[in-house]
Amino acid sequence: MFRNMRRAVCAVIAALLLPLAAGAQAAGAAAEARATADAGAGYWHTSGRRILDAAGQPVRIAGINWFGFETGNHVVHGLWARDYKSMIDQMRSLGYNTLRLPFSDDILKSGTMPDSISFADGKNADLQGLTSLQVLDRIVAYAGQSGLKVVLDRHRPDAAGQSALWYTSAVPESTWIANLRTLAGRYAGNPTVVGIDLHNEPHDPACWGCGDTTRDWRLAAERAGNAVLSVNPELLVFVEGVQSFDGVSGWWGGNLMGVAQYPVRLDVPDRLVYSAHDYATSVAQQSWFSDPSFPANMPGIWDRYWGYIFKQDIAPVWLGEFGTTLQSTVDQRWLSALVNYLRSTSAYGADSFHWTFWSWNPNSGDTGGILKDDWSTVDTVKDGYLTSIKAPGFTPGTGSGDPGDPGGPGDGTAACTAAYTVGSDWGSGFNAEVKVTNSGTRAIGSWKVTWTWSGSQRVTNMWNASYTQSGSTVTAVNAAHNGAVPAGGSTSFGFGGAPGGGGVPALSCTAA
């Protein structure tokens, strides 16, 4: 209903949090905020309204949207002006700790290549000749090295534009789910990618809880979420709202009123995060902006649409998109009220709403971005509004150091082990996973796994590693994003093979 009022590449976001009791509670949360400076390691899970890291420490997503993979460029925008590493370094220096990366299913098509990347003066040199998916690998790897986490956002079925439902005649539900599974498998074992946002901004005729499987977004989210978790049960599953519920309409993807009666049910517990979007008048008018009590009325609006989920300790809430040009006084007052609603990190720590601002890009027509039109200068006024809700960054993960870099000199032994598990076998073919564990006393920068089948099996496809096969002997080598593994850590890769019925071979693992 509102997207026709927006210009080309914008999106809709929103939501925030409900102020709770202050006093001693706030003081305790402030102490927690200081304690979470080193939080964020490994994969994450939920507990009530909080997101916790692998060690059980609470974390707060305080991030930025960097769009472009969902457009006809098939890659994040701005690489025509700057090197991608300098972009990520700047995001990190400004205090953002998470990247939301919108994409369309087009980038999953074989051979899709990025457009509008400059290689002049050495920019983006390591992206030359890469497909869009391979560029995504490089961005994820460098984000992890920099201490950023990544949430992948299935923004559109194709580059042509946003869709009301999660499928179209050209991109059926089966393709949507298959592609989500592919991405979940591609980054399995790499906790830089902490989750997947299943579909951006479902809206009318999408419904929540109506029971019509062709329109019920809640049921579709369960199907897709469980498919993602069947491939990587460690991921967070982010589920946006719809536009309308029980006769009440709001922002596209911003209405989560139906959760109270019809919660999303996933096969793996503690992996669900609800997501809302919220915008200002630079995107579209809403009745609440002209209420005489504005902006005092806004916390009640946000409570009704999505804030109650946090307040009632049902699940974490992530404001996946919110933004404005900040040109009007109304928009300035809106953003100030929203930031307050989201809860300051100094007072409440990670017991807060999670968020990713729209957008890093300056070329979002109805919001603009944190960067100005030169793709370098920071809009310090806009960025300044977000200061109180920014949160500590995270310890660099398995992507730390340059790809392939063993981590520098030092004492210790580089060693690894590998374990082979058959996930499914249907006679004519099978799928298997290999878990690689650093069994040495120092970080490794690369690994190689070798095995020999006793039968006629051959690899048909492999993800998260490259391979060669000579006769019945297979050699798999790490991908760029998962070669570095800390001591005691692990990563994994998977593959399909044929025929089925083979036994589990003995594996050898070599680390460097």
Side-chain angles (χ1 to χ4, degrees):
M1 164 163 116
F2 304 106
R3 201 48 84 105
N4 62 345
M5 301 179 65
R6 307 183 58 179
R7 281 169 281 175
V9 287
C10 286
V12 179
I13 96 184
L16 262 114
L17 186 89
L18 184 71
L20 301 182
Q25 180 183 8
E32 175 196 274
R34 292 188 295 271
T36 59
D38 295 324
Y43 281 108
W44 296 351
H45 61 281
T46 69
S47 178
R49 67 190 188 188
R50 297 191 181 197
I51 296 177
L52 307 178
D53 70 6
Q57 296 186 86
V59 296
R60 183 179 199 183
I61 296 174
I64 194 79
N65 284 271
W66 189 9
F67 67 78
F69 276 110
E70 83 284 15
T71 72
N73 296 103
H74 302 120
V75 70
V76 286
H77 286 177
L79 300 191
W80 53 75
R82 292 179 60 187
D83 184 88
Y84 76 98
K85 292 180 180 179
S86 73
M87 292 270 212
I88 292 172
D89 289 344
Q90 188 177 23
M91 294 172 195
R92 184 69 185 84
S93 71
L94 290 172
Y96 299 102
N97 64 22
T98 303
L99 262 178
R100 181 176 181 256
L101 293 174
F103 68 90
S104 82
D105 292 64
D106 284 350
I107 71 166
L108 277 296
K109 294 178 180 178
S110 178
T112 297
M113 300 298 292
D115 184 31
S116 300
I117 300 179
S118 172
F119 304 110
D121 303 317
K123 291 192 295 291
N124 304 302
D126 60 334
L127 303 185
Q128 293 195 61
L130 300 186
T131 66
S132 292
L133 268 182
Q134 290 170 332
V135 173
L136 179 60
D137 291 342
R138 293 295 175 95
I139 289 172
V140 166
Y142 194 73
Q145 294 171 32
S146 302
L148 298 179
K149 295 289 189 175
V150 171
V151 176
L152 301 176
D153 156 46
R154 195 279 192 146
H155 209 72
R156 302 171 175 173
D158 55 51
Q162 178 64 21
S163 62
L165 301 174
W166 53 97
Y167 62 91
T168 64
S169 58
V171 185
E173 178 175 305
S174 59
T175 299
W176 171 55
I177 289 178
N179 286 342
L180 291 174
R181 286 172 56 91
T182 295
L183 286 174
R186 188 177 187 89
Y187 298 110
N190 180 3
T192 293
V193 178
V194 291
I196 296 179
D197 188 343
L198 298 178
H199 178 63
N200 187 66
E201 295 180 357
H203 54 278
D204 296 347
C207 62
W208 190 291
C210 67
D212 180 349
T213 55
T214 66
R215 298 190 302 117
D216 193 331
W217 167 238
R218 175 251 198 167
L219 296 179
E222 291 177 348
R223 295 191 294 272
N226 286 327
V228 165
L229 293 171
S230 72
V231 176
N232 184 356
E234 304 292 343
L235 289 174
L236 295 176
V237 173
F238 294 87
V239 179
E240 297 185 28
V242 290
Q243 178 184 348
S244 303
F245 178 80
D246 199 22
V248 180
S249 184
W251 294 110
W252 289 3
N255 190 334
L256 286 162
M257 295 170 62
V259 170
Q261 186 175 356
Y262 304 105
V264 171
R265 302 153 299 183
L266 297 178
D267 294 339
V268 181
D270 303 328
R271 294 295 183 273
L272 173 64
V273 179
Y274 290 106
S275 175
H277 289 187
D278 201 90
Y279 279 100
T281 64
S282 66
V283 172
Q285 281 289 342
Q286 296 277 15
S287 59
W288 44 78
F289 295 128
S290 57
D291 189 301
S293 65
F294 177 85
N297 63 321
M298 292 310 302
I301 297 292
W302 294 320
D303 287 350
R304 185 183 189 193
Y305 280 93
W306 42 267
Y308 76 92
I309 297 172
F310 176 89
K311 184 177 181 180
Q312 296 177 19
D313 201 30
I314 295 170
V317 175
W318 175 48
L319 193 56
E321 289 184 19
F322 64 107
T324 167
T325 60
L326 276 184
Q327 294 302 302
S328 72
T329 301
V330 170
D331 284 19
Q332 295 164 12
R333 297 171 73 193
W334 166 84
L335 184 55
S336 180
L338 182 56
V339 166
N340 185 62
Y341 183 80
L342 292 177
R343 301 163 63 104
S344 73
T345 303
S346 63
Y348 295 99
D351 186 24
S352 305
F353 287 100
H354 305 273
W355 58 273
T356 43
F357 188 73
W358 188 274
S359 61
W360 180 249
N361 309 48
N363 60 328
S364 181
D366 46 11
T367 64
I370 292 299
L371 292 185
K372 295 188 176 182
D373 289 343
D374 63 0
W375 282 96
S376 181
T377 306
V378 174
D379 184 333
T380 55
V381 174
K382 188 177 290 186
D383 182 66
Y385 272 86
L386 307 174
T387 299
S388 67
I389 56 173
K390 290 180 181 178
F394 308 116
T395 302
T398 57
S400 60
D402 290 331
D405 180 358
D411 297 328
T413 302
C416 61
T417 59
Y420 179 115
T421 304
V422 176
S424 58
D425 190 325
W426 53 94
S428 60
F430 66 101
N431 287 326
E433 181 181 69
V434 176
K435 182 178 181 179
V436 178
T437 300
N438 183 345
S439 57
T441 56
R442 59 165 293 177
I444 60 175
S446 63
W447 47 263
K448 177 176 69 176
V449 177
T450 303
W451 68 88
T452 300
W453 278 309
S454 58
S456 59
Q457 285 74 29
R458 297 196 67 82
V459 175
T460 55
N461 65 307
M462 183 174 290
W463 50 94
N464 290 325
S466 59
Y467 76 96
T468 57
Q469 182 167 354
S470 177
S472 57
T473 299
V474 178
T475 300
V477 178
N478 62 272
H481 64 267
N482 65 354
V485 183
S490 62
T491 187
S492 63
F493 65 95
F495 64 92
V504 174
L507 274 64
S508 65
C509 187
T510 305

